[in-house]
Amino acid sequence: MTRGTLQSSTAYIRQIVRDIADNKIGIPAFQRSFVWNREQVKELFDSIKKGYPIGSILLWNKKEKMARRGFLSDKILEPIDGVNYVLDGRQRLTVFYGCISSQNNDDSRFNLCYNLKNDSFAFPNELKNQKDTELLVPVSTIFDTFSLLDKLQDISANYKDDPNLCMYQNRAKELNSILQEYQVVKIVLADCSLDEAYKVFSRINSKGTEISKAEMLQASSYDEGNILLADVIDSIRKGLSDYNFDSLTQDDILNCFFKFVGKDFFDKINDLESINLKPHVEAARDAIYLSARFLYEKCHVLSTKLLPYKKQFIALTWYFRLHPDYENANIKELRKWFFYTTIKKSFQNSSLSVVRKLFSDFEDFAKGIRQYPIDYNEVELPEDFDFRMNWNNARVDFMLLSWIHHYLKYSPLESKCYCDPQYWCKDKGGLENYFIILNEDDRIFLRNILDKQVFMPYYDFQSLENNLYEIFAQAKHNLKKFGLSKDLIYNYHFNREKFSAERRVLFIEFQKNLWNEVNG
């Protein structure tokens, strides 16, 4: 990776506005839209007027042309030579240019004026006394010395009898001088790759704008007339909503594209900079959808939240790239590989060499070179598994998936469901206090059984024994699918320690049942 150099200097606002107008400073296509509101616009110019620092701007001096956005319109513009691209300061620079320049724009946020009477910034519709409309001068007029002189002549003629005329004129001249002489720190990042620029942008915006590699890449790979790569990826993400996988990030989807152009997902982003991904969109989309379908239907990964590793998803797209016929795919072996790598935590904190080996073996399996996608070893499911909830733990994911598989033995999977393991205990506890909920009926049923206030009429076991059947019959639910029994429900309310111990035994059993099924 090319290590860039930083060049720091001061620059007048007037020069920055001129550079923007001359297309020497541009907004790269990966930058987000202009989002500041009127109050933020006023606050920025108030800070300038008072001489407060407003932060530096960071520009990227990239030798290759990139697609740009219009400063005021956000419209995608064709790439041109000689542009410094804004990495940090997009909102501030847009405010400078929009308010100071005389460009015609329909966005009212750039119609900022200076109230000579009140010595404050305001917008035209904020002026309560319409009599003093002439004392509300556009900032663009204040900035342009010749336009300001014409405006001051008009004010002198209309306010010649006003004892404050001299004060109005001095205020306007003073602000003109401030705007003409105000400087900001300009830092230029030169001679760096797309990867390094991505890292710089991500770090300086760690508490602000987020950027994806896809959005960075689209700026350098944009062809006039084509849709943006990030938009293509977003359309794929929306299609994944049928499988509750639409929360995958743009970069997750982008990683699935690498193999389609002969690259590995762990290659650097600049390896794709000169490659046109557009011809591969349809094939990549199909492989991505088949991967989500497989995980949803065959492994019952009912949402991205239950996916142990994003790398598993990427590897599956490699398989379905070569085997687009879903009905004839080796589903049995894919399921075994998925659950094995989950139980073994194969992708957790693994070195790059280990990850490369995992992907290499899996790809050889997809190509028919290997019989199995991984070298399987004996699987042991420990009896003393830590039952604390941790969503970033693959073993917890396997636990949750084993619950879902158990649940679906008693209730068929709906074509569209939401999976939300709910916490029902009043006091914090472990996984044994969670229950799988796949529809609203489940929620209502469990609330009636586990909510203390609802359950209170059945305050002893005999009452529970006599009345529970009626409750279940009305709700049309089966206790077994929730890993419950009448005894467990009673212990849930009256002997929580015993309840937890019995549920833990059940969940170990669920895991063993799932692995035995997959490995059989």
Side-chain angles (χ1 to χ4, degrees):
M1 179 179 71
T2 303
R3 185 171 298 279
T5 59
L6 292 176
Q7 303 167 352
S8 180
S9 62
T10 57
Y12 291 103
I13 288 182
R14 65 173 185 269
Q15 183 59 52
I16 290 175
V17 171
R18 189 176 302 119
D19 287 346
I20 293 173
D22 293 341
N23 290 318
K24 294 180 180 179
I25 295 178
I27 299 174
F30 59 75
Q31 284 275 20
R32 303 296 172 84
S33 301
F34 176 63
V35 297
W36 272 20
N37 57 38
R38 287 184 169 196
E39 287 304 312
Q40 290 171 301
V41 172
K42 287 195 290 186
E43 287 174 5
L44 180 67
F45 272 90
D46 186 62
S47 295
I48 292 173
K49 179 177 178 295
K50 293 176 180 177
Y52 297 161
I54 59 172
S56 61
I57 62 172
L58 178 63
L59 305 177
W60 180 18
N61 182 5
K62 190 175 187 297
K63 295 179 180 179
E64 297 81 8
K65 296 185 292 185
M66 290 201 308
R68 303 165 295 138
R69 290 188 184 274
F71 262 87
L72 305 183
S73 67
D74 277 332
K75 180 181 178 182
I76 300 297
L77 307 176
E78 65 179 19
I80 59 174
D81 291 317
V83 177
N84 284 331
Y85 300 97
V86 180
L87 288 183
D88 187 39
R90 186 267 198 268
Q91 304 296 319
R92 285 168 289 152
L93 289 179
T94 297
V95 170
F96 293 160
Y97 187 59
C99 294
I100 290 178
S101 71
S102 58
Q103 296 287 322
N104 293 324
N105 193 276
D106 295 331
D107 194 328
S108 62
R109 289 173 294 180
F110 301 131
N111 296 332
L112 184 66
C113 299
Y114 178 57
N115 191 329
L116 298 178
K117 186 173 184 179
N118 296 334
D119 189 24
S120 63
F121 293 99
F123 289 92
N125 62 348
E126 297 174 344
L127 189 64
K128 295 181 179 180
N129 187 353
Q130 297 300 318
K131 179 182 177 181
D132 294 327
T133 301
E134 194 163 19
L135 295 178
L136 197 67
V137 185
V139 168
S140 58
T141 299
I142 295 281
F143 176 76
D144 188 316
T145 303
F146 293 106
S147 297
L148 178 60
L149 291 176
D150 291 338
K151 183 64 176 179
L152 290 179
Q153 288 180 355
D154 293 339
I155 292 175
S156 296
N158 295 329
Y159 287 83
K160 59 184 178 181
D161 297 327
D162 191 323
N164 295 315
L165 173 61
C166 185
M167 180 183 68
Y168 300 154
Q169 293 175 325
N170 288 338
R171 283 177 174 174
K173 293 176 182 178
E174 181 182 2
L175 182 57
N176 168 267
S177 178
I178 290 173
L179 294 178
Q180 288 290 332
E181 299 302 318
Y182 193 85
Q183 300 181 48
V184 295
V185 176
K186 181 177 72 173
I187 302 172
V188 179
L189 178 64
D191 302 321
C192 76
S193 66
L194 196 66
D195 266 309
E196 186 172 4
Y198 168 73
K199 291 179 180 179
V200 170
F201 186 96
S202 299
R203 289 180 182 180
I204 62 177
N205 287 284
S206 59
K207 296 183 179 179
T209 303
E210 294 183 358
I211 191 70
S212 71
K213 291 181 179 180
E215 290 169 318
M216 292 283 289
L217 186 62
Q218 74 180 4
S220 59
S221 62
Y222 176 78
D223 294 322
E224 186 177 7
N226 291 336
I227 60 176
L228 293 170
L229 176 62
D231 292 340
V232 172
I233 290 177
D234 276 339
S235 71
I236 294 175
R237 290 169 63 197
K238 290 178 182 177
L240 290 171
S241 62
D242 289 341
Y243 306 107
N244 298 325
F245 272 75
D246 47 323
S247 61
L248 287 173
T249 68
Q250 287 188 346
D251 288 344
D252 293 332
I253 302 299
L254 178 64
N255 282 331
C256 297
F257 273 79
F258 277 67
K259 184 54 66 174
F260 286 83
V261 292
K263 301 288 184 179
D264 290 330
F265 79 94
F266 29 73
D267 288 338
K268 296 181 178 66
I269 185 175
N270 43 288
D271 290 337
L272 294 181
E273 189 173 2
S274 60
I275 297 175
N276 184 8
L277 298 180
K278 303 293 175 59
H280 307 282
V281 167
E282 187 174 346
R285 178 190 289 114
D286 291 343
I288 290 168
Y289 288 167
L290 289 177
S291 300
R293 179 183 173 185
F294 162 77
L295 289 169
Y296 186 90
E297 294 180 349
K298 304 302 181 180
C299 301
H300 302 322
V301 181
L302 303 183
S303 75
T304 313
K305 188 176 182 180
L306 291 169
L307 179 64
Y309 301 107
K310 302 291 181 60
K311 292 182 177 67
Q312 291 171 315
F313 187 90
I314 296 167
L316 287 168
T317 64
W318 291 17
Y319 178 87
F320 287 111
R321 174 179 66 95
L322 300 175
H323 302 273
D325 184 358
Y326 183 77
E327 301 304 325
N328 291 316
N330 193 343
I331 299 297
K332 180 179 179 181
E333 201 60 46
L334 290 176
R335 287 186 77 222
K336 184 176 179 179
W337 170 86
F338 171 76
F339 286 113
Y340 179 85
T341 55
T342 297
I343 294 171
K344 292 290 189 177
K345 299 183 180 180
S346 300
F347 293 98
Q348 183 168 315
N349 300 323
S350 296
S351 65
L352 186 58
S353 61
V354 172
V355 173
R356 287 183 184 274
K357 179 67 164 59
L358 288 168
F359 272 84
S360 176
D361 289 349
F362 187 86
E363 185 176 18
D364 285 345
F365 161 73
K367 291 178 178 178
I369 300 174
R370 284 175 56 100
Q371 183 178 1
Y372 303 112
I374 196 170
D375 294 327
Y376 295 110
N377 296 315
E378 185 177 353
V379 169
E380 294 183 3
L381 296 171
E383 299 288 345
D384 58 346
F385 175 68
D386 186 349
F387 276 74
R388 290 176 300 177
M389 175 60 83
N390 182 351
W391 290 110
N392 296 318
N393 188 310
R395 287 290 285 111
V396 171
D397 290 328
F398 182 74
M399 166 79 78
L400 293 171
L401 292 171
S402 72
W403 295 2
I404 294 174
H405 277 72
H406 173 82
Y407 173 102
L408 293 176
K409 291 178 181 178
Y410 301 93
S411 291
L413 179 64
E414 298 179 4
S415 58
K416 176 70 175 176
C417 71
Y418 83 100
C419 183
D420 185 14
Q422 287 293 304
Y423 183 64
W424 288 92
C425 293
K426 208 167 191 180
D427 302 319
K428 289 186 177 180
L431 281 167
E432 69 272 17
N433 300 313
Y434 282 71
F435 298 88
I436 294 296
I437 295 176
L438 299 185
N439 52 58
E440 189 60 26
D441 287 342
D442 287 349
R443 184 186 298 279
I444 295 172
F445 173 74
L446 286 171
R447 179 180 60 82
N448 289 336
I449 295 301
L450 302 176
D451 189 296
K452 197 76 173 179
Q453 293 181 345
V454 176
F455 185 82
M456 192 56 68
Y458 313 109
Y459 53 86
D460 58 41
F461 189 81
Q462 185 60 48
S463 178
L464 174 67
E465 185 75 21
N466 294 336
N467 294 280
L468 204 54
Y469 177 79
E470 181 181 350
I471 297 175
F472 296 155
Q474 291 176 352
K476 297 180 181 179
H477 278 275
N478 190 317
L479 280 177
K480 288 185 178 180
K481 74 177 183 181
F482 296 108
L484 288 171
S485 66
K486 288 183 289 186
D487 288 344
L488 275 169
I489 294 172
Y490 181 83
N491 288 333
Y492 177 88
H493 290 286
F494 301 108
N495 190 339
R496 187 61 63 80
E497 184 176 346
K498 188 175 181 181
F499 166 83
S500 296
E502 292 175 343
R503 287 270 288 179
R504 291 184 181 208
V505 171
L506 274 177
F507 294 152
I508 293 295
E509 179 184 332
F510 293 168
Q511 293 178 81
K512 290 181 177 179
N513 290 342
L514 175 56
W515 177 245
N516 288 337
E517 174 203 331
V518 170
N519 194 38

